[in-house]
Amino acid sequence: MNVNTTIFFSIVIAVVLVRVIRRFLDLPTRLPRVNRLLDYIWVPGVALFALSSLISWKSDQLDEIYLLLVFGVGIWILLRLRTYRPARLLLLAVIPFVAYSAFELLLALVTPALLKDYDDSFEVAQAFTFIWLFTFALIARNQKNQLEKDRLLREEEEQAKQRISAQNVELERLVAERTATLTQQAEELRYALTELRITQNQLIQSEKMASLGELTAGIAHEIQNPLNFVTNFSDVSTELLTELEEEQQKADRDPELEAEILTDLKQNLQKITHHGQRAASIVRAMLEHSRANNGERQPTDLNKLADEYLRLAYHGLRAKDKTFNATITTFFDPSLGQISAVSQDLGRVLLNLFTNAFYAVQKKQKEGHTPGYVPTVSVNTLHRSSGEVEIRVRDNGTGIPESVKDKIFQPFFTTKPTGEGTGLGLSLSYDIITKGHDGTLTVETEEGEGTEFIITLPATKP
């Protein structure tokens, strides 16, 4: 192969090596100016090619000189990129090969005989430098691939961070919008709650007024009896006084008749006093029920209170329906005594329970599904051995369905038709017993058979 051909092949090899090193070291990005200069790596080869046609002395080493020049440029580039780990490994791979090639070229120029005498040794050394070159080149390539993977991973992580940052910004915006919406909704709910409390207070007042109306109707009917007695006994007493005056004006007076008339007058006056006190007691009960409650507990006779409100509830219903009659059975434990309680509140509870009981038996009677049905309401009081006081209100009315049993103490829940109940009676009664008196209010019922409400109160003595 002549010199021109070897130089030509050397130029091709140089161009290929430059292309490889450009891609391997990413020179367009890392060293853009050097990368542009490498476009002219062929110029020295062409110069040597021109020189080889003019100079024949030692011209067969010109291709080696050119390749050493190319490798020298490569070493210079690797030195500039020595902070890049694959470049350092590639530099370590190239230096022994370049050093050996330069040494061999030097011997070929100075003492060719020596190079020929130790040809085998130099071939072994050259093979070693080739092995060294390719081994470290592979290591450098693996390291570059690993670095590339790491770079891609870092880019993905950076992109993930950017996405997270963008999502955080979006979330902050959404949170701000949601916060503004929730703030507005909170204001609306606060306003609605205020309106609800006003409405609730109005409904509670309506429930109290309805209770007062039922009590007033019962009182009006109940107070009629003692007033009738007072009127009748007053009329009879007036007649007896007239008869006594006539007897006293007679010449022949009858002392026994006068004594009998006076005895009758005394009995009439006692009965007038008794029924007058009865009427006054009913009026006092009405006033206590309608008076504002100060929450102070006072000595209360539960037996008397239960009896009073039982009759008032019964007569209150009869004032609305003259045809209604019911059997009332009572057992008031004489050992009950007085307990410390808010009598007005307990009166409201008892009135509500009694009214509901009479309503249930009246409804069952009107339905007419039970032949021979007798409406019955029973009220019992008991002083338990545990020290608690118990009041039981039982009726044989319609009962409460199991599906709504757990709801009867909820505010605004009622089984009565629209307009006949607010659904606050039992709710207020439950609060008065449980919260106001530290007691319990429970219910036992069987649909179609009847209902029993059980009040348990601590027997706190006044």
Side-chain angles (χ1 to χ4, degrees):
M1 185 179 296
N2 57 34
V3 175
N4 295 336
T5 303
T6 57
I7 292 179
F8 174 76
F9 278 110
S10 297
I11 293 174
V12 173
I13 293 172
V15 171
V16 172
L17 287 175
V18 168
R19 180 180 179 84
V20 171
I21 201 169
R22 276 176 167 177
R23 295 182 60 183
F24 185 81
L25 299 176
D26 194 17
L27 292 181
T29 302
R30 298 179 184 276
L31 296 173
R33 293 182 61 185
V34 173
N35 181 67
R36 289 194 296 272
L37 291 175
L38 289 177
D39 291 337
Y40 304 101
I41 195 66
W42 54 271
V43 173
V46 173
L48 288 174
F49 178 78
L51 186 63
S52 66
S53 61
L54 299 175
I55 302 175
S56 60
W57 183 73
K58 298 295 182 181
S59 60
D60 53 340
Q61 277 80 32
L62 291 178
D63 59 331
E64 297 181 11
I65 294 173
Y66 172 67
L67 288 177
L68 283 175
L69 176 63
V70 172
F71 275 104
V73 172
I75 291 174
W76 174 68
I77 294 173
L78 292 174
L79 287 173
R80 294 195 60 178
L81 296 175
R82 60 184 176 275
T83 55
Y84 183 46
R85 282 184 294 173
R88 291 201 301 271
L89 282 174
L90 199 59
L91 181 64
L92 185 62
V94 169
I95 285 178
F97 176 78
V98 173
Y100 169 80
S101 299
F103 180 69
E104 185 182 25
L105 177 63
L106 180 62
L107 290 179
L109 293 175
V110 177
T111 57
L114 179 63
L115 185 62
K116 186 175 181 180
D117 293 338
Y118 295 95
D119 184 60
D120 293 338
S121 299
F122 281 105
E123 287 182 357
V124 172
Q126 187 179 36
F128 175 77
T129 58
F130 271 112
I131 294 172
W132 179 279
L133 174 64
F134 284 110
T135 300
F136 277 89
L138 289 174
I139 295 174
R141 188 190 68 174
N142 293 336
Q143 192 175 60
K144 174 180 171 59
N145 292 337
Q146 184 62 41
L147 290 176
E148 184 66 18
K149 291 180 181 178
D150 294 342
R151 182 185 66 81
L152 292 175
L153 182 61
R154 286 194 301 272
E155 289 181 355
E156 290 178 359
E157 291 177 352
E158 185 64 27
Q159 291 175 358
K161 289 180 181 179
Q162 292 176 357
R163 287 195 298 269
I164 292 173
S165 177
Q167 290 175 354
N168 288 337
V169 172
E170 181 66 16
L171 285 175
E172 289 177 359
R173 183 185 66 81
L174 293 175
V175 167
E177 292 180 357
R178 186 60 176 167
T179 302
T181 303
L182 290 176
T183 302
Q184 182 180 357
Q185 291 177 349
E187 291 296 329
E188 294 174 354
L189 288 174
R190 191 176 293 109
Y191 176 77
L193 180 60
T194 303
E195 292 294 320
L196 181 60
R197 285 175 177 170
I198 294 173
T199 304
Q200 184 179 20
N201 291 334
Q202 292 173 348
L203 287 171
I204 292 174
Q205 186 63 27
S206 298
E207 178 69 22
K208 290 181 179 179
M209 292 305 295
S211 175
L212 181 60
E214 294 174 354
L215 179 63
T216 303
I219 289 172
H221 193 279
E222 178 72 8
I223 205 172
Q224 191 66 40
N225 291 331
L227 290 179
N228 287 338
F229 278 114
V230 170
T231 301
N232 293 337
F233 282 117
S234 296
D235 293 340
V236 172
S237 297
T238 301
E239 294 176 359
L240 288 174
L241 285 173
T242 302
E243 186 178 347
L244 179 60
E245 288 175 354
E246 291 176 352
E247 184 65 29
Q248 288 178 344
Q249 292 175 1
K250 293 179 180 180
D252 187 13
R253 296 170 59 183
D254 186 352
E256 292 181 1
L257 179 60
E258 291 180 358
E260 184 181 350
I261 293 173
L262 288 174
T263 300
D264 291 341
L265 281 172
K266 184 177 180 180
Q267 291 176 352
N268 288 349
L269 290 175
Q270 289 175 348
K271 291 179 180 179
I272 289 172
T273 301
H274 171 73
H275 290 290
Q277 290 175 348
R278 171 70 184 140
S281 173
I282 294 172
V283 172
R284 280 197 303 273
M286 180 182 68
L287 293 174
E288 287 178 0
H289 186 86
S290 61
R291 188 182 300 124
N293 179 20
N294 56 13
E296 294 182 0
R297 299 190 180 189
Q298 298 175 349
T300 303
D301 187 340
L302 281 184
N303 288 339
K304 182 179 178 182
L305 190 70
D307 182 60
E308 193 83 28
Y309 279 92
L310 176 62
R311 284 185 283 104
L312 292 177
Y314 177 59
H315 291 303
L317 187 57
R318 277 183 49 80
K320 299 178 182 178
D321 184 2
K322 299 295 184 182
T323 63
F324 173 71
N325 287 290
T327 299
I328 299 176
T329 61
T330 60
F331 172 77
F332 298 125
D333 190 346
S335 65
L336 200 63
Q338 291 187 335
I339 67 169
S340 179
V342 184
S343 59
Q344 299 97 317
D345 288 347
L346 283 184
R348 289 192 181 98
V349 173
L350 292 173
L351 182 64
N352 181 261
L353 296 182
F354 297 152
T355 302
N356 287 345
F358 287 122
Y359 176 86
V361 297
Q362 182 194 37
K363 182 179 179 182
K364 186 172 180 179
Q365 184 183 47
K366 288 183 176 180
E367 290 175 352
H369 299 318
T370 307
Y373 173 70
V374 178
T376 303
V377 175
S378 62
V379 180
N380 299 331
T381 61
L382 176 66
H383 192 188
R384 291 179 176 176
S385 58
S386 60
E388 295 176 322
V389 173
E390 182 180 274
I391 306 173
R392 289 178 175 264
V393 181
R394 181 172 181 79
D395 65 75
N396 64 343
T398 56
I400 302 173
E402 192 67 28
S403 59
V404 301
K405 179 181 175 182
D406 295 335
K407 302 178 183 178
I408 60 173
F409 295 124
Q410 295 178 3
F412 310 113
F413 179 81
T414 180
T415 57
K416 296 179 181 179
T418 305
E420 293 190 21
T422 62
L424 287 172
L426 285 176
S427 173
L428 292 175
S429 298
Y430 185 82
D431 288 343
I432 289 171
I433 296 299
T434 58
K435 297 179 182 178
H437 291 81
D438 302 321
T440 62
L441 176 59
T442 58
V443 61
E444 296 177 359
T445 183
E446 184 177 353
E447 188 174 2
E449 297 297 328
T451 302
E452 183 175 31
F453 283 92
I454 304 168
I455 298 174
T456 304
L457 297 172
T460 305
K461 297 298 180 181

